[in-house]
Amino acid sequence: MNEYLFDIYNRPNVVNLATNENTNLTNSIFDFIVIGSGAGGAVLSKELAEQGAKVALIEEGAIPFPWETSAFRSLLKLYRDNGFTGTIGKPMIPIPLGRCVGGTTVINSGTCFRVPQKVLNLWESEFGLVDINNENLQDCFSKVEREIHVEDADWNVMNKSSDFIRKIFTQKNLPCLPLRRNTYNCQGCGMCCYGCTSGAKKSMEISYIPKAIQAGLFLFYNARAKRILLSDGKTGKGVVVDVVHPTTHKVINKVEIKGKKIIVACGTMLSPLLLKRSGIAIDNPNLGAHLTIHPASKISIELEDNISSWVGIPQGCYSTVLEDEGIIFEGVAMPPDLGPSAVPFSGNELIHYWKNYKNIATFGFMIKDSNEGSLRFNIKNQPIYSYQLTNTDAQKLKRAITFLAELALDENPVQIFAMVTKQPNIIKNRDDLNIFMKQEHVPSDFECMAFHPLGTCRLADSPEKGVCDSNHQVFGTKNIFVCDGSSIPTSLGVNPQLTIMALATRLSQILKYL
């Protein structure tokens, strides 16, 4: 941590509840209580604090500094459930979530896209969100992009995997462009998803939260919101907070924090759980439903040369060549202490993959969902998110694999690894590719991940369609709001961080008048 951040995070209004004994801090009545410090919560906290409001920001995790130089150690330190959060279905799909000050922005790739116009048109026609349009969001997007310094990725610090992908695309006159990312003076440390060790990625703990603290925000960390306190059954008056041990995550104390307005920003997977635990919107059938995730996969291409793909920007370029088919290609690379284990191989194939990982280029792709998942509870009343990949989406994944393999084979690679469990899943020539293409593949054959859960408390013009109104207020409540990925009504088809932040900026302006 540099001296500036060290000073900020050691101020009296930054409170580690696991060690703090000053109960006067939690006896105050705040104008706003914001629960969750990711893309939604951090933006709201900063904007409201700078308006002069008295704001409490509650975060379950700890301050992420100092950064780890090992991706594996970072996984244990910064990720919820050590990276094993996900959905149940065919296939099971991991969805990595951050648990630290800054939330998932600390562990994402930093990619920044604005919401596509066609999606805004859908929101207006299907959900009546006439006020959430390009005109009203333009200034919000521009402000966020300035705050987190959104810029094109620099090819000079791209990894060699991206260089290879750029080559095979441009040789066919296909688009391969640098991604827009929230970075400044990127050094290509390759740790975007594990806490940027150079500090170049302007995630929330680097950008918005320090400014919020300087404006008077009270940050409470190691603090897990258990439930929202209500008066008259619909008006929020505070939050019951479990104080958690920073390493065991066991509850060691309990406090109440009181506030006039409650903003839930726990993220798509957790916000509906908090509302359910609090008895809020429990009769609304949309609560916990409509989960979209952008299922994603990749191919790995073994080359003759050592390219050490973990050196440089791991997600630096993208292509929209198949966008009309609901497929976006984006770079992906993982450090050697994690990458070789994230494959569906075993035995000699896995040993070979490990030994030759330095020669492997990877490129990823995500698809716009054709299905939705939902929250349910098992017999022990534990939450489970179910999501079933459809045959339509399985065919999109297969289309992406074969498209990339076609391009890569022109460069005569050693072999190509398709992330499917059904054999043959290794392609060495066009005959192998033809065999792969003729194989019948079902959803359970694909090795997937997902990084963009959305929709479980979605916005709409009525409780029949959504959980919150166009001002993010939960239907049937007076002062309870949701602003994070869960409030986004539909799959975006692009990375959602920038859209969440723009919507949070918009809400901060609305709250001045509510």
Side-chain angles (χ1 to χ4, degrees):
M1 191 191 314
N2 62 35
E3 290 185 9
Y4 163 73
L5 291 174
F6 182 85
D7 170 67
I8 294 293
Y9 282 104
N10 279 278
R11 294 191 177 190
N13 50 323
V14 178
V15 182
N16 178 359
L17 283 185
T19 59
N20 179 69
E21 296 180 357
N22 183 358
T23 56
N24 291 330
L25 292 171
T26 56
N27 285 337
S28 301
I29 298 178
F30 293 90
D31 297 317
F32 297 93
I33 300 175
V34 181
I35 307 168
S37 64
V43 171
L44 279 160
S45 297
K46 179 252 187 193
E47 297 296 336
L48 293 170
E50 288 184 343
Q51 291 173 18
K54 187 174 183 180
V55 183
L57 176 59
I58 299 172
E59 168 55 49
E60 177 181 350
I63 294 172
F65 314 116
W67 298 125
E68 297 287 351
T69 55
S70 157
F72 178 74
R73 289 198 302 271
S74 178
L75 189 79
L76 302 179
K77 178 179 178 181
L78 303 179
Y79 283 58
R80 180 171 297 280
D81 302 324
N82 297 333
F84 285 103
T85 311
T87 62
I88 302 297
K90 293 184 179 180
M92 297 176 65
I93 302 178
I95 304 178
L97 303 176
R99 179 169 55 192
C100 56
V101 172
T104 301
T105 71
V106 178
I107 63 158
N108 70 12
S109 62
T111 299
C112 292
F113 281 107
R114 293 190 179 193
V115 56
Q117 181 61 50
K118 60 185 178 183
V119 174
L120 291 175
N121 294 341
L122 176 65
W123 293 357
E124 180 175 350
S125 63
E126 294 293 323
F127 302 99
L129 300 175
V130 295
D131 295 331
I132 302 179
N133 54 49
N134 189 56
E135 181 180 356
N136 290 344
L137 287 177
Q138 180 68 32
D139 289 344
C140 297
F141 274 116
S142 296
K143 183 173 186 178
V144 171
E145 288 165 347
R146 289 193 302 270
E147 288 280 355
I148 59 175
H149 199 270
V150 176
E151 62 180 1
D152 287 348
D154 185 352
W155 284 108
N156 292 320
V157 288
M158 232 44 111
N159 62 17
K160 291 184 178 180
S161 181
S162 291
D163 290 338
F164 175 78
I165 295 300
R166 183 190 192 188
K167 176 183 176 182
I168 65 175
F169 270 74
T170 55
Q171 284 180 165
K172 299 291 186 181
N173 294 316
L174 300 174
C176 187
L177 304 171
L179 280 162
R180 302 276 287 168
R181 306 174 69 244
N182 58 318
T183 57
Y184 179 72
N185 194 26
C186 177
Q187 304 298 305
C189 69
M191 291 289 284
C192 306
C193 299
Y194 309 98
C196 174
T197 54
S198 71
K201 190 177 78 167
K202 302 308 173 188
S203 43
M204 298 304 96
E205 83 292 359
I206 298 286
S207 55
Y208 272 80
I209 295 174
K211 289 183 178 180
I213 294 168
Q214 288 177 299
L217 167 81
F218 281 82
L219 169 62
F220 298 97
Y221 65 97
N222 290 321
R224 179 192 299 145
K226 184 174 183 179
R227 72 177 186 277
I228 297 168
L229 294 169
L230 300 173
S231 61
D232 67 29
K234 59 183 179 180
T235 304
K237 63 178 183 178
V239 180
V240 177
V241 175
D242 284 339
V243 180
V244 295
H245 191 277
T247 53
T248 66
H249 306 298
K250 292 183 177 180
V251 178
I252 57 176
N253 200 356
K254 186 178 295 184
V255 298
E256 290 185 8
I257 299 178
K258 301 177 180 66
K260 300 174 184 177
K261 289 184 172 68
I262 315 297
I263 302 171
V264 179
C266 308
T268 300
M269 310 297 278
L270 300 178
S271 287
L273 291 177
L274 178 58
L275 294 183
K276 282 180 178 287
R277 286 199 303 268
S278 306
I280 298 169
I282 55 175
D283 294 327
N284 188 317
N286 299 292
L287 183 63
H290 311 298
L291 172 68
T292 62
I293 62 174
H294 287 161
S297 190
K298 65 183 179 183
I299 70 167
S300 295
I301 307 161
E302 184 181 347
L303 307 174
E304 294 284 357
D305 300 327
N306 178 347
I307 63 165
S308 298
S309 66
W310 57 90
V311 178
I313 302 172
Q315 189 175 96
C317 64
Y318 76 109
S319 179
T320 57
V321 63
L322 298 184
E323 182 179 20
D324 290 343
E325 300 179 38
I327 301 168
I328 296 289
F329 294 102
E330 292 184 356
V332 61
M334 296 176 70
D337 54 345
L338 287 179
S341 60
V343 294
F345 308 116
S346 60
N348 290 332
E349 292 172 352
L350 181 59
I351 292 171
H352 179 92
Y353 196 93
W354 273 91
K355 285 183 176 180
N356 294 277
Y357 191 63
K358 64 185 183 300
N359 290 42
I360 287 177
T362 53
F363 204 49
F365 41 88
M366 66 180 185
I367 61 174
K368 190 172 181 181
D369 316 53
S370 66
N371 196 18
E372 296 178 340
S374 62
L375 169 66
R376 58 187 176 86
F377 292 87
N378 64 17
I379 57 174
K380 295 184 178 179
N381 206 35
Q382 295 298 310
I384 294 174
Y385 276 96
S386 58
Y387 184 95
Q388 179 63 52
L389 195 70
T390 65
N391 288 324
T392 298
D393 288 345
Q395 291 310 305
K396 288 181 186 178
L397 294 173
K398 185 173 182 178
R399 165 73 165 133
I401 292 169
T402 55
F403 183 87
L404 289 176
E406 284 272 11
L407 296 179
L409 284 172
D410 284 346
E411 296 300 309
N412 298 311
V414 176
Q415 55 192 343
I416 297 169
F417 298 87
M419 299 300 147
V420 296
T421 56
K422 187 174 186 178
Q423 295 182 340
N425 51 9
I426 295 177
I427 300 166
K428 296 186 178 182
N429 50 50
R430 295 195 181 276
D431 288 340
D432 290 344
L433 179 58
N434 289 333
I435 293 171
F436 176 83
M437 293 171 66
K438 290 176 182 177
Q439 282 273 19
E440 295 251 353
H441 288 97
V442 298
S444 57
D445 292 334
F446 291 86
E447 189 85 1
C448 295
M449 293 191 74
F451 306 92
H452 308 145
L454 303 170
T456 53
C457 300
R458 69 185 186 184
L459 306 178
D461 60 356
S462 71
E464 287 72 37
K465 299 177 185 176
V467 175
C468 304
D469 65 21
S470 61
N471 292 334
H472 294 257
Q473 186 160 312
V474 178
F475 287 113
T477 69
K478 289 184 177 180
N479 62 344
I480 300 171
F481 304 81
V482 179
C483 188
D484 53 25
S486 73
S487 54
I488 292 181
T490 66
S491 176
L492 296 176
V494 297
N495 306 54
Q497 173 179 275
L498 201 63
T499 300
I500 296 169
M501 296 178 72
L503 289 173
T505 304
R506 173 183 175 272
L507 177 57
S508 71
Q509 298 163 357
I510 292 170
L511 287 171
K512 289 187 290 187
Y513 306 105
L514 292 181

